[in-house]
Amino acid sequence: MFRMALRTLRFRAGAFTAAFLALFLGGVIVMACGGLMATGISAAVPPQRLAAAQVVVTGDLTHAERSRLDAGLVTAVRSVPGVASAVPDLSFPATVLRGDQPAAEQFQPSGHGWSSAALAPYTLTGGAAPQQPGEVVLDAAYAQAAGVRTGDQVDLASGGGRQRFRVTGLASAASVHESGSPSVFFTDAEADRLAGTPGRVDSIGVVLQPGADAGAVRSGIENALSGKAVSVLTGDERGLAEFGGVSAGAESLVAISAVFGGLAVMVAVFVVASTLALSVQQRYQELALLRAIGGTPGQVRRMVVGESLVLAVLATALAWWPSGFVGPWLLNQLATRGVLPTVVVYNHSWVPTVAGMAIGLLTALGAAFIAGRGAARARPTDALVEASVQRRWLSTPRVLFAVLCLGGGLALTIVTATVMTGPVAASTAGPMALLWAGGLALLGPGITRVLIAVLRWPLRAISGQAGHLAMQNAASRRIRLAGAVTPIMLATGLATAFLYMQISQTHAAEQAYTENLRADAVLRSATGGFPLGYENTVRGVPGVAAACAIVPTTAYFPGTSGDPENTDPDADSDVAVLGVSASGVAGTFAATPTSGSLSDLTGQTIALSTSDADTLGRKLGDTMPLRLDDGAELQLKVVAIFPGRPGYETALLPAQLVAEHTTSRLVPQILVRATPGTDTAQLTSQLAGLAAQQPGLRVATREEILAGAAQQEQTGAWVNYLLVAMIVGYTVIALVNTQVIATGERRREFAMQRLIGSTRGQIIRSVCMEAILVALSGVVLGTAVAAITLAAFGAALNGDPVPTGPLWIYLAIAGAATALTLLATLLTTRLVLRTPPVQAATAPR
């Protein structure tokens, strides 16, 4: 039977094209998403500035903020056998100024001690190393871009201030890319002062003795530092110590690829199953004849499965090559929009390839087994009748899977609407839509019968005899018709649900930000940040009523109940944190405490949203644990409780406390509120005058703040739009393929109609009415799927079941689905009708 399967594929290549394309495109998407997941898991970042250090010791990489090391660990590392030298490294913002602004804004330079130059290695291309305070060596490419030469006096912004240095030399390193972060080298003592972390270092670069084994030295260092919160890195892992944000970005990449890869797999299952089912349904007569001449049910089933196996192997094997381009392209799009650093290397390993092939094979085999089951088990005479007009479709497995899908969809609907809050509801809304779609697809023949009964009279009324013939054909072919409806339902339902979900989520985030902001202007720094306490200087500017330092980060409540004895990190719940100035927060934020006062946010204190306080069981005056994103464990007193928008809760801490636990230890922005009667232009003019004392200072108005926040939301939304477009595009291609195959197999039927007197125009009009019926049925079912999904998601997001977004988006989706269905059907019909009717009627199927 396997040999027969190969022959069948050879002589019926056209009939299997749709199934092949569905498997091929599904394999490309799944393998690309798998490659993104493997990239996030491996987080391979080739080192640049630390390339000459075979081993790098740094802090705990599970934290987004840098966790610094005790400088005393350098001595312990040096004592490990095989270590030639252990060089401490510090990294901090250091920018060459031209006037009051950065001299080369395309670069993001960082300052280091000169001893760490050997870790690249950097070599002098001119001049000499810094020997005393006030001397500096610049990266040669950076110096050229800034217009600086050896011997020049330059102003540098570092540590939130300005200082003049003499350029004693220029240096370059082959391992450092020009697009990376150029280095500015000071004396080691000067670097320690400017970093502002006395007794602490960022990393320790380890150079090995000749012949020493990196793995053995790594083990020795791990033993020497046992019990310390350190990470010992070799190979491409070393780049993690150099480029901040990689670990957090890699986690986001894993989450994104897992969600969309899972959705792609589920969509592929539906598309491939419906496509193969339609292909097998078209061959019931062939299968029935095999039974009639002595073929057993097992032989027929093995033939169908063999055909699908060959298709799946070819399709998934060919999908490997384009997935190697799609995956890196997706990674580049995600990196350029800030999901993760651009230095992360795509991991096109064998794991996602094998996983994608396995998923494709299992999908094809499962679909083929189910599709061939009915014809394989039927008696030969029954199968022959079935081949003419298929009437039976309901089976125990179909009912079982339909109940499971609909039950799962109902459960997720209830969970999404009643348990989830805020944007996190999207994590259950996506699978919910697919489960509802799967359940409706499995019950498609029965639902199609109802839809035909509802739509037949309106369609007949507007189309006359052509509509009458179309309805008769649809009623007799409703089971095959249901297979054509499924991809339209998927395309319409998923596109509508996902697009409106993202629009609603973006609008809710923008609204939450707008409602919470009372500031009239914001100060930002192009040189790393402002020094702590600079908001006091801003407050003294004429026309300023309030100024509040803002230091954002993420923190974690230990356990779901805030129990300090619960040390399981998996039980921790994260919360967005803003470090704020107690003297300015009330004037720049709309948060009005229901108990306590925000002016008490000093020292070891915290202000909680009402929902967080209720969840954690905390009240005013309680002391509670909190873990910041550098791993520091704090005990904080609750000094205020304020209402927060569900799903967008924020905890407030003193700005100084938060800044001490961030990588830069600086204030990235300051919110400013004007005094009554001071207009925006007057305020920004007054604030711009601060740039003379504070280099890199930039002033933005409230409108610019809101526009920037909206742009940031749109950037994040673009990532979702891109991945959703891939999945929806896949279903659209499946839609076209299905319509082409479903129409193309009717050439003998069209030929018989022409032989008994029907004209080409009559056949085309009738087929077009059938296509409209199929499109309307798919749009109606897709709309039902989207409506259920969006109602539950809206209830969780903002309590409104009606999604945000213009109506034309839905109309465009429905119109596009209908137009594609009509176009694919019409073009295929016209192509089929080119064959003379006698030749088409006598041609083999």
Side-chain angles (χ1 to χ4, degrees):
M1 298 306 289
F2 188 74
R3 182 180 300 174
M4 184 177 293
L6 292 176
R7 291 179 177 176
T8 303
L9 290 173
R10 178 182 176 186
F11 289 102
R12 297 179 61 90
F16 290 100
T17 300
F20 176 84
L21 287 175
L23 287 165
F24 172 77
L25 294 173
V28 171
I29 295 175
V30 171
M31 288 181 192
C33 288
L36 291 179
M37 179 178 288
T39 300
I41 293 173
S42 62
V45 184
Q48 296 183 24
R49 196 174 49 79
L50 303 177
Q54 294 92 336
V55 182
V56 175
V57 182
T58 191
D60 191 343
L61 293 175
T62 61
H63 309 302
E65 302 289 355
R66 183 178 293 278
S67 179
R68 292 182 170 86
L69 305 174
D70 187 335
L73 297 181
V74 177
T75 303
V77 172
R78 285 174 179 158
S79 65
V80 174
V83 173
S85 63
V87 181
D89 177 57
L90 286 167
S91 183
F92 51 90
T95 306
V96 175
L97 298 173
R98 182 181 292 122
D100 298 327
Q101 299 298 329
E105 295 196 35
Q106 68 271 33
F107 291 101
Q108 294 181 332
S110 56
H112 313 277
W114 175 248
S115 62
S116 66
L119 299 177
Y122 266 96
T123 55
L124 288 168
T125 59
Q131 301 292 331
Q132 58 188 358
E135 295 182 344
V136 68
V137 168
L138 300 181
D139 179 283
Y142 180 48
Q144 182 179 6
V148 176
R149 296 177 297 180
T150 301
D152 287 353
Q153 297 283 333
V154 297
D155 284 341
L156 281 172
S158 184
R162 176 201 298 259
Q163 186 174 338
R164 175 151 292 195
F165 290 85
R166 185 174 69 88
V167 179
T168 62
L170 304 179
S172 64
S175 62
V176 177
H177 303 161
E178 289 189 8
S179 59
S181 174
S183 295
V184 178
F185 292 104
F186 306 85
T187 64
D188 290 349
E190 188 90 72
D192 188 59
R193 179 184 68 81
L194 293 173
T197 57
R200 313 289 291 181
V201 298
D202 291 355
S203 303
I204 303 172
V206 180
V207 179
L208 305 185
Q209 295 175 353
D213 179 69
V217 173
R218 175 177 182 169
S219 298
I221 293 174
E222 290 174 341
N223 292 332
L225 304 182
S226 178
K228 306 291 185 182
V230 300
S231 299
V232 185
L233 312 173
T234 56
D236 282 348
E237 293 179 333
R238 295 171 294 166
L240 297 175
E242 186 175 343
F243 297 100
V246 172
S247 296
E251 291 180 4
S252 298
L253 183 62
V254 170
I256 291 172
S257 58
V259 170
F260 284 95
L263 290 175
V265 169
M266 296 178 72
V267 171
V269 168
F270 293 138
V271 170
V272 172
S274 64
T275 306
L276 281 176
L278 182 62
S279 177
V280 171
Q281 286 169 11
Q282 294 171 353
R283 300 167 55 212
Y284 268 119
Q285 187 175 26
E286 175 186 314
L287 300 176
L289 288 173
L290 287 175
R291 290 295 321 282
I293 62 175
T296 66
Q299 288 175 324
V300 173
R301 187 183 299 113
R302 284 195 296 274
M303 184 191 73
V304 174
V305 171
E307 294 168 350
S308 301
L309 180 62
V310 173
L311 279 178
V313 170
L314 290 175
T316 53
L318 290 175
W320 173 81
W321 183 75
S323 72
F325 295 94
V326 175
W329 181 80
L330 286 174
L331 179 66
N332 180 64
Q333 298 303 308
L334 296 172
T336 54
R337 284 161 176 81
V339 175
L340 75 168
T342 56
V343 293
V344 176
V345 177
Y346 182 75
N347 182 3
H348 191 49
S349 67
W350 61 271
V351 176
T353 301
V354 172
M357 294 187 69
I359 290 170
L361 292 175
L362 291 174
T363 300
L365 293 178
F369 182 84
I370 295 173
R373 183 175 178 272
R377 295 185 61 183
R379 292 177 300 179
T381 54
D382 291 341
L384 286 171
V385 175
E386 185 82 356
S388 177
V389 179
Q390 186 182 357
R391 299 186 184 280
R392 293 182 298 173
W393 62 274
L394 201 59
S395 64
T396 301
R398 182 187 285 265
V399 172
L400 177 61
F401 283 114
V403 170
L404 289 176
C405 285
L406 295 177
L410 179 61
L412 285 181
T413 301
I414 296 172
V415 169
T416 302
T418 61
V419 178
M420 298 292 184
T421 58
V424 73
S427 61
T428 55
M432 178 218 309
L434 288 171
L435 286 173
W436 281 113
L440 294 179
L442 289 167
L443 299 178
I447 297 174
T448 302
R449 182 172 187 175
V450 176
L451 291 174
I452 291 174
V454 172
L455 297 174
R456 65 185 305 172
W457 297 111
L459 291 178
R460 282 182 61 179
I462 63 174
S463 58
Q465 192 62 32
H468 175 74
L469 181 59
M471 294 305 104
Q472 293 298 323
N473 284 334
S476 63
R477 301 176 62 253
R478 62 183 175 84
I479 296 179
R480 296 186 185 182
L481 204 68
V485 167
T486 298
I488 302 173
M489 174 185 64
L490 283 175
T492 305
L494 295 184
T496 303
F498 290 158
L499 286 178
Y500 277 105
M501 280 169 54
Q502 185 58 61
I503 293 171
S504 298
Q505 186 172 328
T506 301
H507 179 265
E510 293 175 4
Q511 190 175 32
Y513 188 85
T514 302
E515 291 174 353
N516 199 41
L517 183 68
R518 296 179 59 190
D520 299 305
V522 63
L523 302 184
R524 295 191 177 98
S525 175
T527 57
F530 303 103
L532 286 168
Y534 189 70
E535 68 275 11
N536 297 323
T537 301
V538 175
R539 197 175 298 117
V541 173
V544 172
C548 180
I550 300 295
V551 186
T553 188
T554 302
Y556 303 88
F557 298 125
T560 56
S561 63
D563 181 6
E565 300 299 325
N566 188 345
T567 59
D568 180 10
D570 293 333
D572 295 353
S573 57
D574 63 307
V575 61
V577 166
L578 286 180
V580 297
S581 307
S583 58
V585 61
T588 54
F589 275 88
T592 303
T594 56
S595 60
S597 173
L598 297 179
S599 61
D600 293 332
L601 277 171
T602 58
Q604 302 279 319
T605 57
I606 186 173
L608 294 173
S609 66
T610 304
S611 58
D612 282 338
D614 292 341
T615 301
L616 299 169
R618 301 295 177 180
K619 60 182 184 299
L620 193 67
D622 285 353
T623 299
M624 59 170 290
L626 187 75
R627 177 166 55 86
L628 294 180
D629 220 2
D630 67 340
E633 301 280 354
L634 304 177
Q635 292 292 325
L636 305 176
K637 181 181 178 181
V638 180
V639 296
I641 296 176
F642 59 94
R645 189 182 182 93
Y648 298 91
E649 294 86 359
T650 302
L652 303 179
L653 274 69
Q656 181 173 356
L657 177 63
V658 176
E660 290 173 352
H661 296 277
T662 60
T663 301
S664 69
R665 301 174 65 86
L666 298 174
V667 175
Q669 61 182 21
I670 297 174
L671 299 181
V672 180
R673 185 168 178 82
T675 57
T678 302
D679 61 27
T680 302
Q682 182 181 359
L683 177 65
T684 55
S685 176
Q686 293 283 2
L687 293 173
L690 294 172
Q693 297 83 29
Q694 186 59 44
L697 183 143
R698 305 281 174 84
V699 183
T701 64
R702 176 183 173 84
E703 289 71 24
E704 292 171 334
I705 300 170
L706 297 177
Q711 180 61 41
Q712 187 174 2
E713 287 294 329
Q714 290 297 332
T715 299
W718 184 93
V719 174
N720 290 334
Y721 288 141
L722 172 65
L723 297 175
V724 167
M726 290 181 58
I727 296 175
V728 174
Y730 173 43
T731 61
V732 167
I733 293 173
L735 180 159
V736 174
N737 284 335
T738 301
Q739 297 305 316
V740 169
I741 296 301
T743 306
E745 63 95 16
R746 300 175 64 186
R747 63 185 183 278
R748 295 185 67 184
E749 174 190 332
F750 296 157
M752 294 301 296
Q753 290 180 12
R754 293 178 66 188
L755 289 174
I756 63 175
S758 297
T759 65
R760 289 166 56 94
Q762 289 174 326
I763 294 174
I764 289 175
R765 285 193 296 272
S766 176
V767 171
C768 285
M769 293 310 302
E770 289 184 48
I772 291 175
L773 175 63
V774 170
L776 288 177
S777 300
V779 169
V780 168
L781 294 178
T783 302
V785 170
I788 295 171
T789 302
L790 292 173
F793 178 74
L797 183 68
N798 54 21
D800 186 358
V802 179
T804 302
L807 180 62
W808 68 261
I809 293 178
Y810 167 74
L811 297 177
I813 293 170
T818 303
L820 284 171
T821 304
L822 274 172
L823 183 63
T825 303
L826 179 60
L827 292 179
T828 308
T829 302
R830 293 180 66 89
L831 184 62
V832 168
L833 291 177
R834 287 184 177 182
T835 306
V838 175
Q839 180 181 342
T842 57
R845 288 182 179 269

